[in-house]
Amino acid sequence: MSNDLSAQLRAHLQGQPQQSTAKSGVPEYLALISEITGEDTEELLPDRRLADVGLTSLNMIEFAVRAEDRLGVVFEESDAQALETLDDVAKFVEAHQ
């Protein structure tokens, strides 16, 4: 996601300590979603819709920025808009790492 908003968000996030809440065996992308939404990682099941776990379009931008920084996964805006479930996110992350 290369636009002014994501650049501003990246600059903002770089000023904050990034703590990983990843538990042993929890994929980092789920830990990121948990950090952003406040959902417990145990509640982040593959068939759950992103909107149902609190991942709004603005939060998705934050997720994309953090995923790029931590996981090396680059999300284009169209990629992010196409993701509907946590399983979609998992498949995207796995395919682009």
Side-chain angles (χ1 to χ4, degrees), residues 19-85:
Q19 295 178 314
S20 177
T21 58
K23 298 176 187 173
S24 178
V26 174
E28 185 67 19
Y29 73 90
L30 283 182
L32 288 172
I33 292 172
S34 176
E35 289 174 22
I36 293 165
T37 64
E39 285 277 327
D40 189 294
T41 55
E42 294 172 1
E43 299 296 320
L44 298 175
L45 303 174
D47 62 339
R48 291 206 52 203
R49 298 184 61 74
L50 300 180
D52 293 342
V53 298
L55 203 60
T56 64
S57 57
L58 183 58
N59 289 348
M60 191 60 188
I61 294 169
E62 181 178 357
F63 172 76
V65 170
R66 289 186 186 199
E68 185 173 339
D69 289 343
R70 290 194 199 174
L71 307 173
V73 176
V74 177
F75 285 84
E76 296 299 326
E77 187 172 345
S78 60
D79 297 328
Q81 291 174 348
L83 302 174
E84 295 182 16
T85 66

